[in-house]
């Protein structure tokens, strides 16, 4: 399935605008909308010192927090502690 080039460009532009803000990048490795390789590429191209990433094993698109609520909470606490 995946994301079209136009959709990818929109996402990239929106993420670029967030580079100065703290951000927790949560991505499920079973996401069938945004492939893990694409998410990883975007993160590495765009990342700033204020960004942190958390990969959810078995997480699907927009359901990662439900798949691993404790892991996502811990990652969020880590991001907040870094501020």
């Amino acid at each position: 399935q995946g994301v079209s080039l136009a959709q990818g460009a929109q996402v990239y532009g929106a993420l670029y605008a967030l580079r100065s803000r703290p951000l927790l990048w949560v991505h499920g490795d079973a996401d069938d909308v945004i492939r893990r390789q694409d998410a990883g590429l975007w993160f590495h191209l765009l990342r700033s010192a204020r960004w942190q990433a958390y990969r959810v094993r078995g997480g699907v698109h927009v359901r990662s927090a439900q798949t691993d609520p404790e892991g996502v909470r811990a990652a969020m606490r880590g991001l907040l502690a870094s501020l």
Side-chain angles (χ1 to χ4, degrees):
Q1 198 172 359
V3 174
S4 73
L5 185 58
Q7 290 168 320
Q10 286 179 324
V11 170
Y12 187 91
L15 291 169
Y16 186 84
L18 294 173
R19 291 188 73 239
S20 64
R21 294 175 172 83
L23 182 133
L24 177 60
W25 184 283
V26 177
H27 192 264
D29 64 6
D31 190 328
D32 64 349
V33 176
I34 300 173
R35 297 179 310 165
R36 187 172 72 188
Q37 299 91 322
D38 293 339
L41 177 62
W42 290 344
F43 181 79
H44 290 291
L45 288 174
L46 292 164
R47 90 188 271 179
S48 75
R50 304 191 77 190
W51 285 21
Q52 294 181 22
Y54 182 71
R55 183 177 62 143
V56 177
R57 295 190 192 284
V60 297
H61 195 68
V62 303
R63 302 285 303 164
S64 291
Q66 293 84 353
T67 301
D68 183 9
E70 289 303 315
V72 172
R73 276 195 282 275
M76 181 58 73
R77 284 191 296 272
L79 176 69
L80 294 173
S82 74
L83 300 179

